[in-house]
């Protein structure tokens, strides 16, 4: 899995072309909030209250887009420890996902009505192929009705047996803890794929829930998983490579039921956060998730906080 540029998601406030609505956010930010009871590590989201509108964003210098590894396992990865340290595993999983999603695509491209609004003609680097869908979703609740404007991402377009186009999101599960240098997935994936997926559901239930929520928000018809394992270097001078062992795909809503993800509860969590933030005065705030605790806190910060020119 090499040769592709690490693509970092564009923040919410850089969305273009959408003006109507009360709450503006990306699918990854919304998925993080909606699955917060499953998360173990800390994270933070910037909230800007401007009149009757809320803008939910991430910090430019944060690790928000990095994937977690074994976040909900009984034994967490160590903070230090070479290639199996927490930070390096997170980077590895993120690069695997971005490369795998591109490797699944055919050379022929699907063109939508509007071009990518974030392409920079002055940038010579080829961006990762992704489609943006802007979804307008009513936020149901007992109080005032709000409209959510969500910028979602779709990784691919495929066709079913009837020739109808279907939207697909593509993700990768990766094996990193090789027992005695041997891959258990290589031996068992063909005959015990269900057991492997069940273990991933246990060890990475937050990450899988985020992917599922993002796919549902995007209106994706399919969610495709790849099973990727390490290819150990033959000599000390070689770097660790990766091999794709197989794939499996699901319908997002059915997979949500399989991992016990209650979307009504997820929407309820988001609605509670929105109602709370709508009670705040105009300004900038930080929504902070405490590590290892199911606690969310909101802090008010100066307007120039996290700005590039702010020392």
């Amino acid at each position: 899995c090499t040769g592709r540029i690490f693509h970092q998601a564009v923040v919410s406030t850089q969305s273009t072309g959408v003006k109507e609505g009360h709450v503006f956010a990306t699918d990854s930010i919304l998925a993080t909030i909606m699955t917060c009871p499953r998360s173990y590590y800390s994270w933070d989201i910037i909230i800007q209250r401007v009149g009757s509108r809320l803008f939910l964003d991430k910090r430019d210098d944060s690790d928000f887009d990095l994937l977690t590894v074994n976040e909900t396992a009984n034994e967490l990865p160590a903070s230090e420890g070479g290639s199996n340290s927490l930070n390096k595993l997170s980077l590895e999983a993120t690069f695997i996902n971005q490369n795998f999603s591109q490797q699944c695509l055919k050379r022929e491209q699907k063109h939508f009505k509007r071009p990518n609004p974030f392409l920079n003609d002055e940038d010579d680097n080829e961006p990762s192929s992704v489609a943006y869908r802007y979804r307008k979703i009513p936020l149901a609740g007992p109080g005032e009705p709000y409209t959510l404007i969500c910028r979602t991402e779709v990784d691919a377009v495929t066709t079913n047996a009837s020739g109808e186009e279907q939207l697909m999101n593509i993700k990768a599960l990766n094996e990193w803890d090789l027992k005695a240098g041997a891959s258990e997935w290589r031996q068992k994936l063909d005959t015990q794929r269900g057991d492997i997926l069940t273990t991933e559901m246990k060890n990475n239930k937050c990450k899988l829930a985020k992917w599922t929520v993002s796919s549902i928000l995007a209106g994706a018809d399919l969610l495709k998983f790849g099973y990727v394992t390490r290819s150990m270097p033959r000599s000390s001078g070689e770097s660790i490579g990766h091999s794709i062992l197989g794939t499996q795909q699901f319908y997002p809503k059915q997979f949500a039921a399989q991992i016990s993800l209650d979307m009504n509860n997820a929407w309820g969590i988001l609605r509670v956060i929105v109602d709370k933030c709508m009670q705040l005065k105009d300004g900038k705030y930080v929504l902070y998730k405490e590590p290892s605790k199911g606690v969310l806190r909101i802090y008010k910060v100066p307007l120039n906080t996290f700005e590039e020119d702010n020392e």
Side-chain angles (χ1 to χ4, degrees):
C1 294
T2 58
R4 277 288 176 178
I5 299 168
F6 176 50
H7 170 73
Q8 191 172 25
V10 185
V11 296
S12 305
T13 49
Q14 292 179 336
S15 295
T16 59
V18 180
K19 304 298 182 183
E20 298 180 359
H22 301 96
V23 183
F24 298 80
T26 63
D27 54 356
S28 61
I29 290 175
L30 295 175
T32 298
I33 295 175
M34 295 168 74
T35 61
C36 63
R38 297 177 178 234
S39 62
Y40 181 84
Y41 298 126
S42 65
W43 45 261
D44 60 85
I45 292 172
I46 301 172
I47 299 174
Q48 295 191 62
R49 171 75 192 274
V50 183
S52 61
R53 295 181 176 183
L54 288 179
F55 297 89
L56 310 183
D57 247 326
K58 61 177 184 177
R59 290 185 290 110
D60 290 336
D61 59 346
S62 72
D63 294 334
F64 189 86
D65 293 321
L66 295 183
L67 297 176
T68 60
V69 176
N70 279 30
E71 180 179 0
T72 53
N74 292 332
E75 185 176 350
L76 300 177
S79 57
E80 297 181 359
S83 60
N84 287 343
S85 65
L86 183 63
N87 184 59
K88 289 188 177 180
L89 285 174
S90 183
L91 287 170
E92 179 185 14
T94 304
F95 275 100
I96 287 174
N97 262 268
Q98 299 208 345
N99 281 275
F100 176 70
S101 67
Q102 300 302 298
Q103 290 176 333
C104 289
L105 303 179
K106 295 182 178 179
R107 291 188 178 273
E108 57 185 280
Q109 296 183 349
K110 166 69 176 179
H111 294 282
F112 292 87
K113 293 181 179 180
R114 298 180 181 179
N116 188 327
F118 307 113
L119 286 181
N120 186 355
D121 295 334
E122 299 178 356
D123 192 348
D124 296 331
N125 294 324
E126 179 186 358
S128 296
S129 180
V130 64
Y132 294 107
R133 297 189 78 200
Y134 290 85
R135 309 294 305 281
K136 186 176 181 180
I137 305 172
L139 277 181
E144 181 179 349
Y146 297 119
T147 299
L148 170 67
I149 303 297
C150 177
R151 191 189 71 230
T152 67
E153 296 185 8
V154 175
D155 296 315
V157 176
T158 186
T159 54
N160 59 18
S162 303
E164 299 173 335
E165 287 190 345
Q166 292 185 308
L167 302 178
M168 175 186 290
N169 275 350
I170 304 172
K171 307 298 179 182
L173 301 168
N174 63 295
E175 182 188 32
W176 57 273
D177 188 13
L178 305 187
K179 307 298 183 182
S183 167
E184 185 178 358
W185 287 12
R186 290 182 187 273
Q187 302 172 12
K188 299 182 178 181
L189 187 63
D190 289 337
T191 58
Q192 302 180 40
R193 183 167 304 191
D195 293 341
I196 292 176
L197 181 59
T198 299
T199 301
E200 289 299 299
M201 290 178 181
K202 172 181 176 293
N203 294 340
N204 295 285
K205 65 179 181 180
C206 182
K207 179 168 64 176
L208 287 169
K210 287 182 183 179
W211 288 345
T212 305
V213 170
S214 292
S215 297
I216 292 175
L217 289 173
D221 301 290
L222 298 170
L223 177 56
K224 186 185 190 76
F225 292 128
Y227 294 89
V228 179
T229 189
R230 285 179 175 177
S231 299
M232 299 307 295
R234 298 179 181 178
S235 64
S236 59
E238 295 182 2
S239 59
I240 296 176
H242 297 90
S243 300
I244 302 172
L245 303 180
T247 62
Q248 191 174 9
Q249 63 187 36
F250 300 87
Y251 298 108
K253 291 184 178 179
Q254 292 183 8
F255 189 71
Q258 192 169 340
I259 62 175
S260 302
L261 174 63
D262 186 344
M263 285 302 298
N264 289 329
N265 182 62
W267 283 114
I269 293 172
L270 178 62
R271 175 70 200 214
V272 169
I273 297 298
V274 169
D275 285 341
K276 181 64 177 179
C277 293
M278 284 298 188
Q279 297 173 10
L280 302 174
K281 297 180 180 179
D282 282 15
K284 180 179 286 190
Y285 301 84
V286 172
L287 176 66
Y288 176 72
K289 158 68 173 58
E290 289 196 2
S292 70
K293 297 179 181 179
V295 177
L296 294 175
R297 300 187 185 276
I298 299 177
Y299 298 95
K300 183 174 177 58
V301 296
L303 288 176
N304 63 346
T305 306
F306 309 125
E307 299 293 340
E308 293 183 358
D309 58 349
N310 183 42
E311 296 296 335

